[in-house]
Amino acid sequence: MELRGGGRRVVSLVPSLTEAVAVSAPGMVVGATDWCSHPAGLDVVRIGGTKNPDTERIARLAPDLVIANEEENRPQDLDVLRAAGLAVMVTEVRTLEQAFRELARVLVEGCGLARPGWLDAAEEAWRALPGGPPERAAVVPIWRRPWMVLGRDTFAGDVLARLGVRNVHAGHAERYPRIPLEDLRAASADLVVLPDEPYRFTAEDGPEAFPGLPAALLSGRHLTWYGPSLVEAPKVLAAALDGPALLRSTGP
């Protein structure tokens, strides 16, 4: 891909952004977190987790840019990197439209790349969805022991709304509240949505906690990642939310 201003060395602290940059400009990413699993075969220096990056190792890589996210990464770690003289670009992604804007900012302004074709394809894929208000209400757990769910102002909640699913806890004061299971069961929901990350819900681990409620098992990468996966996400997620694909549990 054509670069503006020459090649750059990038360290990414966000799995979604790692994939976005690595797919758009192979070889540009020189360091990434242990959780950066895409694209497949990514061969870069690993610099720890999103919440505990090895800032000294990052500094030794001497990147031209470190890309981060206000939700996934800790301000104190980013401050250390800035103090080491590194340029740090911090993204905020809480809606689909914001994801598209931030991806363009990272790739074009931050990395000096021409706008990639996959980003245009992703925007078109989501524009092609039929409009209208969400038709089904859902409880959306993201963890158990303790149970945590999607609350207000989340990217995944916005994605679901565009697919006709309303998060019943979207009005909660917290973004990822802990809510007792009995309260989740008592919520006025039409289904429970169970992604496979950050907690790996499966057909055997999750649906049994919501007897009588249809369960949709979703790809967490397509629900929560903002990058090339957005191109196929509408089709993948819609198929999992389709009536025949839903699991129906009678309990433990």
Side-chain angles (χ1 to χ4, degrees):
M1 174 164 287
E2 176 187 358
L3 300 181
R4 299 172 181 172
R8 301 185 185 183
R9 292 167 55 83
V10 172
V11 168
S12 173
L13 304 182
V14 186
S16 294
L17 298 179
T18 299
E19 182 180 21
V21 177
V23 166
S24 302
M28 180 173 283
V29 177
V30 297
T33 74
D34 299 339
W35 300 105
C36 294
S37 57
H38 288 75
L42 182 68
D43 184 15
V44 298
V45 175
R46 298 295 175 165
I47 48 78
T50 57
K51 305 297 185 187
N52 58 343
D54 187 334
T55 54
E56 292 185 2
R57 178 174 290 183
I58 294 172
R60 288 196 298 270
L61 287 171
D64 300 300
L65 180 67
V66 177
I67 49 179
N69 176 265
E70 52 89 27
E71 178 178 64
E72 295 199 45
N73 309 119
R74 304 187 308 167
Q76 55 266 42
D77 294 321
L78 305 183
D79 288 343
V80 170
L81 295 174
R82 293 188 184 98
L86 301 180
V88 179
M89 176 177 278
V90 182
T91 59
E92 178 183 281
V93 177
R94 302 191 181 189
T95 68
L96 184 64
E97 290 301 327
Q98 194 175 28
F100 290 140
R101 292 195 301 270
E102 289 288 67
L103 283 166
R105 185 169 72 93
V106 166
L107 296 169
V108 179
E109 297 179 26
C111 297
L113 299 169
R115 182 182 171 93
W118 65 258
L119 186 53
D120 294 328
E123 291 197 23
E124 179 57 35
W126 285 94
R127 275 197 300 267
L129 290 177
E135 299 175 355
R136 292 175 289 173
V139 171
V140 192
I142 57 170
W143 202 260
R144 67 183 301 176
R145 306 182 190 94
W147 286 93
M148 299 176 65
V149 299
L150 290 184
R152 65 171 181 85
D153 195 23
T154 66
F155 171 75
D158 186 51
V159 165
L160 287 172
R162 293 166 187 267
L163 293 166
V165 177
R166 176 179 61 84
N167 172 19
V168 299
H169 295 102
H172 197 282
E174 300 176 24
R175 298 185 68 210
Y176 303 103
R178 296 184 181 189
I179 298 180
L181 179 58
E182 57 268 26
D183 292 343
L184 297 181
R185 289 171 171 168
S188 299
D190 302 309
L191 74 160
V192 56
V193 171
L194 300 168
D196 62 11
E197 61 176 79
Y199 185 90
R200 188 172 180 80
F201 288 107
T202 67
E204 293 75 34
D205 185 356
E208 82 291 340
F210 300 88
L213 196 63
L217 297 175
L218 300 191
S219 160
R221 177 167 169 265
H222 290 96
L223 179 64
T224 65
W225 287 41
Y226 36 91
S229 59
L230 286 172
V231 176
E232 61 182 10
K235 182 180 296 185
V236 171
L237 296 174
L241 290 165
D242 189 50
L246 299 180
L247 300 178
R248 288 169 172 77
S249 173
T250 57

